[in-house]
Amino acid sequence: MSSAHFLGLELATDQLRAAVIDTNLTVLGYEAVDFDSELQQYGTRGGLFSTPGDAFTTPVDMWVKAMDVLFQKLSERFDLTKIKGIGGSAQSATVWLSSESTRTLAGLSPKLPLAEQITPAFFSLIHTPVSQDTSTLQQTVVLQAALGGPDAMVARVGTASHPSLTAVQCMKIREGNPDAWGKTARVMMASTFLSTLLVGKWTSMTESEVVGTGMWNVMTARWDTGALEVVAGSPDQGRKFADMLGNVESFSGKAIGTVASYFVDRAVVIPFTSDRLASYLSVAPSHNEPVLSFGTQDTLMIPATQYIPDKAYTLYPHPAQDPSEPRRYIAVVANRNAEAARTMVRDMYTKSWSAFDRLISVIPPGGSIGLDDKLFSFWVLHNESPTSWNIQKGVHRIETGQKVNEFRDLRANPRCLLESQLLALRVQYTRMMELPLFARQNQAQNRRPTPISLLAYRGGVAFNPYDKDLCPQRLITIGTSANFPSIVAMIGDIFNSKVYVPTGTANPNALSPSPAKLEQSPGGPNSAPPSTPTPFSPSSASNPAPSRLNAALGSAYSARWAWRRSTKPEERFASFEDEIRSLTKRKWVENSRMLGGLGIPSLVSPVASMGYPQPKRSGLAASVYTPDEDDMGHNISPALTPPGAITPPGLIGLGLGGPAGTNGLLSPDGFGVPPGQILRSRTPTQSSNSTVLTQLSIATSMGSLSTAQTSPGGAMTPKSPLQSAAVPSNVTVTALASTTEEEYQNGLCKVAEPDWDAFMTYASIIPEFCRIEGMLVKGF
């Protein structure tokens, strides 16, 4: 095993997570600290405090305590002296430090926990707003108007105004808490705060993150003077605010310092970035592959080669590129009415996520079989942007062209919600393909725009929804929602794209318990280990689910990339993505050779969006789906059958999953299964538009894979608290037999193919969808 290890950190809304890898990108292990369950003294729900008026804050001193707990866990499992580089990422939030912070950082002692040395005087603002906060509508309007309107603002600072923009949140703090403003010596993003704690001094924010603050001018590579003056209230205060923000680091691959002695000796720290960009790095997409990340906000990230700002998206500089490379960017669009809405629908109409998944599968596209009576639902829990301010918060349902309080068939609610979320992203993506940013790329691929249909034109759609050339050929999806076969199938149909989830190179013992934790396990210290390596054996009940670890893994990848640049400059790659794919392919070949050359895919990393045990969560802001205790019962609420409704035979309680052990890409022994025969069945409706993967039958010379984790003596290995709450088998996506060896080598597994009939059905829905959305925007 390589002696050099790399640590990736992610400060999420509800957890602080860590991933450890080696130079070959082998995942050595993960750890996490859950704020609600492990730091209960702070009293958060989903890691947040909520107050009337859409205000969401979090206690920043809780993050300091979480660092102590996390590094204690890491020290019990890993030799921290082997860590050569640390990368990190965090949610979008600001941290406000007082002048006392510099003296405190300089005098930190390794003999005491951080939480005992960093007092409240360290901060000028203890409870800081987070991205879920939308209580800044007044400041949002003022900033946008002061900068000349949405188009002028985008051309100037690269992003349109919206309620969770860092600039407007800073403006609200200045207006509502002048005492905190006056005591502040430094303002930094949450990711920079993590690196500050590690290095023991103030560190600079990165350009890839400050672009999204609404105060950075990309063209001049400086803080925008006009924006700072509006936020700070005057030219003098604007200059002071620029000093509070500090310098910006344009290159993320350089070392910004070594870790202070109270953490790890001599490890190099590189600039940290945002969690969404770190998740993007974890999959290393090619130049034309969009990445769809499900979470608290659903985010669509598209590679771009030039800087042409537009209010339809936000352009971020690529967080891992060499100064000698041509500049690259990532276009980002997000939907904040995402996971919270899905959670509400689950709680209102089903008893579990498995039932939620099945209801999506059994209802035809558009909620009905006919072409003229499609159902639409818009769940507006938060304001997205100034263009949606007129939309009244709540649930807007449309049936037969009329606004209704509830659908006649209550079972349509889960599918209609997902369709509205994905159709909104599809419309945004297709419109972007028509903009100058991607027009040249489309011309280079000899794509000729097709005429806009009359129906689309009358519906307010500025593109032809039937044009498949405006859709991506491949789409990579990450996040817990990618666990569901119904969702990945719907993505493929709406985008007319092949859908992939990332795989990786997990060490078989990546999550094996430490000796200290083994003593506390149900089996005791002398429990026999499984006969086969189990990479998904969690070390504690707070271990994160694999599909939530992309940002931590991407941070570790960036640390490894920066280390290679400084220690082995002769090993040059064209880009960060080329380097990661090269290492992934090398590892795949080594694993294949080790397993006898049977063409078996590489070990699948815990970051792959597969079904996996999830910790119990609370609160709408939690970025994880919680499998209920009755998931295995496949219950659908009886209330879903309204009086007089006809229930198709065998619908309620229908299990679409195959036998245990035959429906997942991963067997419990942790090894990826080779491409084999996959049995597919149509959804049990009168529509044949959607295809759902229901059963995986492995036909190889290795024989069937057992589902039991057994000791050499045949006894079942005791389940951890996480394993007892496993995601049921029928909501685990499966690998398609058409996944090629090259795709496996690139770290991707195909989980859905588009259905042309379904794509055409959704294309016919788009004009009406856009018309209704436009009416809601106008306040109708």
Side-chain angles (χ1 to χ4, degrees):
M1 181 180 296
S2 171
S3 59
H5 295 170
F6 305 94
L7 174 65
L9 300 175
E10 179 201 0
L11 176 59
T13 302
D14 56 344
Q15 289 184 336
L16 177 62
R17 304 164 189 150
V20 181
I21 65 171
D22 65 10
T23 56
N24 297 321
L25 305 187
T26 299
V27 179
L28 304 178
Y30 297 100
E31 276 295 354
V33 179
D34 186 84
F35 299 147
D36 289 1
S37 62
E38 297 184 69
L39 302 177
Q40 297 182 17
Q41 63 268 33
Y42 292 94
T44 60
R45 186 167 181 244
L48 302 176
F49 295 135
S50 61
T51 58
D54 295 327
F56 289 86
T57 62
T58 190
V60 290
D61 53 338
M62 178 179 67
W63 299 343
V64 178
K65 179 64 175 179
M67 288 284 282
D68 285 331
V69 177
L70 180 67
F71 272 84
Q72 178 62 34
K73 289 184 176 184
L74 290 171
S75 65
E76 294 175 1
R77 293 187 55 197
F78 305 101
D79 182 358
L80 299 186
T81 61
K82 293 184 178 182
I83 295 179
K84 303 303 180 184
I86 302 178
S89 61
Q91 59 178 298
S92 178
T94 52
V95 179
W96 299 68
L97 305 181
S98 68
S99 57
E100 178 69 23
S101 61
T102 55
R103 293 187 290 272
T104 302
L105 289 170
L108 290 175
S109 169
K111 297 181 181 179
L112 295 174
L114 278 179
E116 295 183 11
Q117 303 178 73
I118 296 181
T119 64
F122 187 90
F123 306 99
S124 57
L125 186 68
I126 291 291
H127 295 162
T128 188
V130 294
S131 60
Q132 288 83 353
D133 184 275
T134 57
S135 62
T136 56
L137 290 180
Q138 179 181 353
Q139 291 79 13
T140 304
V141 175
V142 171
L143 178 64
Q144 182 169 280
L147 295 183
D151 294 323
M153 181 176 177
V154 167
R156 189 167 178 171
V157 295
T159 182
S161 187
H162 56 83
S164 60
L165 190 68
T166 301
V168 299
Q169 290 184 341
C170 291
M171 189 188 308
K172 183 183 178 183
I173 291 173
R174 191 258 303 170
E175 295 173 350
N177 197 341
D179 184 58
W181 180 276
K183 293 180 180 179
T184 300
R186 176 56 60 96
V187 180
M188 58 180 63
M189 301 302 290
S191 60
T192 307
F193 176 62
L194 285 189
S195 62
T196 291
L197 292 179
L198 289 171
V199 175
K201 62 180 181 180
W202 289 349
T203 57
S204 299
M205 293 183 282
T206 61
E207 185 181 18
S208 63
E209 189 162 27
V210 299
V211 163
T213 63
M215 298 180 288
W216 180 259
N217 191 311
V218 175
M219 303 305 295
T220 62
R222 298 171 183 265
W223 293 110
D224 188 273
T225 303
L228 295 185
E229 291 177 359
V230 175
V231 173
S234 69
D236 289 341
Q237 286 295 314
R239 288 188 288 271
K240 177 185 176 182
F241 190 36
D243 293 335
M244 291 162 59
L245 293 169
N247 297 325
V248 173
E249 181 59 60
S250 60
F251 175 45
S252 299
K254 66 179 293 186
I256 58 174
T258 55
V259 176
S261 58
Y262 52 85
F263 276 120
V264 184
D265 290 333
R266 306 313 300 169
V268 171
V269 180
I270 66 170
F272 288 12
T273 187
S274 68
D275 51 1
R276 61 175 56 168
L277 296 183
S279 297
Y280 178 91
L281 295 179
S282 71
V283 299
S286 65
H287 65 90
N288 59 351
E289 288 177 337
V291 178
L292 176 56
S293 175
F294 290 102
T296 304
Q297 295 185 21
D298 291 343
T299 306
L300 187 62
M301 296 172 281
I302 306 139
T305 58
Q306 49 190 333
Y307 184 78
I308 304 178
D310 193 278
K311 61 184 178 183
Y313 51 80
T314 300
L315 271 179
Y316 293 86
H318 194 288
Q321 57 183 333
D322 194 280
S324 61
E325 298 176 25
R327 292 279 283 179
R328 292 179 292 133
Y329 302 89
I330 303 171
V332 176
V333 295
N335 171 24
R336 70 172 56 253
N337 294 297
E339 192 167 278
R342 291 191 287 268
T343 303
M344 291 184 66
V345 169
R346 181 205 63 173
D347 294 341
M348 292 172 64
Y349 298 100
T350 73
K351 294 183 179 180
S352 65
W353 285 115
S354 59
F356 180 92
D357 177 74
R358 286 196 314 283
L359 278 181
I360 296 174
S361 301
V362 300
I363 298 298
S368 66
I369 297 175
L371 296 177
D372 299 325
D373 55 351
K374 296 302 182 183
L375 311 180
F376 300 89
S377 67
F378 298 84
W379 290 66
V380 184
L381 308 181
H382 304 281
N383 289 110
E384 292 281 351
S385 65
T387 58
S388 65
W389 288 344
N390 291 327
I391 301 181
Q392 183 179 359
K393 291 184 180 180
V395 182
H396 306 272
R397 298 182 181 88
I398 310 297
E399 185 169 6
T400 62
Q402 301 293 323
K403 198 169 183 178
V404 297
N405 291 327
E406 183 56 88
F407 294 136
R408 285 176 291 182
D409 187 351
L410 303 183
R411 298 169 304 169
N413 277 280
R415 185 174 191 98
C416 289
L417 167 66
L418 261 297
E419 287 179 342
S420 69
Q421 293 176 335
L422 294 177
L423 283 172
L425 291 174
R426 156 78 197 284
V427 169
Q428 288 178 287
Y429 175 86
T430 311
R431 285 173 175 166
M432 288 171 61
M433 293 300 103
E434 297 282 279
L435 296 175
L437 177 64
F438 296 100
R440 295 179 185 177
Q441 175 180 316
N442 293 337
Q443 292 172 3
Q445 297 175 356
N446 295 321
R447 290 182 177 178
R448 292 182 298 176
T450 56
I452 300 176
S453 68
L454 181 60
L455 177 61
Y457 178 78
R458 289 177 175 174
V461 182
F463 60 88
N464 186 349
Y466 300 93
D467 186 2
K468 62 181 179 61
D469 289 335
L470 292 177
C471 298
Q473 295 181 357
R474 293 153 47 110
L475 192 149
I476 302 173
T477 180
I478 56 179
T480 315
S481 289
N483 290 335
F484 298 97
S486 60
I487 294 182
V488 295
M490 189 185 297
I491 294 171
D493 294 341
I494 289 178
F495 283 86
N496 194 44
S497 304
K498 301 173 184 176
V499 182
Y500 295 80
V501 295
T503 63
T505 55
N507 185 310
N509 298 311
L511 293 176
S512 58
S514 63
K517 295 184 185 223
L518 189 59
E519 294 177 0
Q520 305 170 4
S521 66
N526 298 320
S527 297
S531 58
T532 311
T534 56
F536 295 161
S537 299
S539 62
S540 70
S542 64
N543 253 352
S547 53
R548 307 173 68 203
L549 291 164
N550 296 87
L553 187 68
S555 300
Y557 282 1
S558 62
R560 196 271 180 207
W561 169 77
W563 171 83
R564 192 273 310 159
R565 286 190 70 262
S566 61
T567 60
K568 299 181 179 180
E570 68 280 1
E571 295 182 5
R572 296 190 61 85
F573 294 86
S575 65
F576 168 87
E577 286 80 3
D578 286 342
E579 180 171 346
I580 298 302
R581 285 195 292 266
S582 175
L583 291 170
T584 302
K585 181 177 181 179
R586 181 193 307 172
K587 191 66 179 179
W588 192 95
V589 172
E590 291 176 357
N591 288 341
S592 180
R593 186 182 303 112
M594 178 182 65
L595 295 172
L598 296 177
I600 297 178
S602 62
L603 301 177
V604 177
S605 167
V607 300
S609 301
M610 301 292 107
Y612 181 68
Q614 312 259 351
K616 282 289 181 182
R617 299 294 305 116
S618 63
L620 293 179
S623 57
V624 61
Y625 287 114
T626 307
D628 298 324
E629 293 179 356
D630 62 346
D631 266 348
M632 299 307 292
H634 313 306
N635 296 317
I636 297 179
S637 175
L640 293 182
T641 305
I646 299 177
T647 303
L651 172 61
I652 303 301
L654 175 66
L656 298 180
T662 64
N663 62 344
L665 176 63
L666 292 180
S667 67
D669 60 11
F671 288 90
V673 299
Q677 179 183 0
I678 295 183
L679 305 180
R680 314 203 310 173
S681 67
R682 291 288 180 179
T683 56
T685 67
Q686 298 180 32
S687 170
S688 61
N689 289 333
S690 294
T691 302
V692 178
L693 307 181
T694 62
Q695 188 175 16
L696 175 62
S697 175
I698 305 169
T700 68
S701 58
M702 296 182 64
S704 61
L705 299 175
S706 172
T707 62
Q709 296 183 2
T710 60
S711 65
M716 292 294 296
T717 304
K719 290 185 176 181
S720 72
L722 266 182
Q723 289 170 312
S724 64
V727 173
S729 61
N730 68 314
V731 290
T732 302
V733 296
T734 61
L736 292 186
S738 56
T739 304
T740 66
E741 182 171 324
E742 181 181 0
E743 290 167 342
Y744 277 122
Q745 291 180 2
N746 288 331
L748 297 175
C749 170
K750 188 191 303 181
V751 293
E753 291 266 15
D755 183 284
W756 178 252
D757 291 336
F759 169 71
M760 296 298 285
T761 299
Y762 283 120
S764 68
I765 292 174
I766 285 178
E768 180 67 4
F769 172 85
C770 293
R771 185 187 70 84
I772 295 173
E773 186 180 47
M775 293 178 62
L776 292 175
V777 168
K778 294 177 182 178
F780 296 158

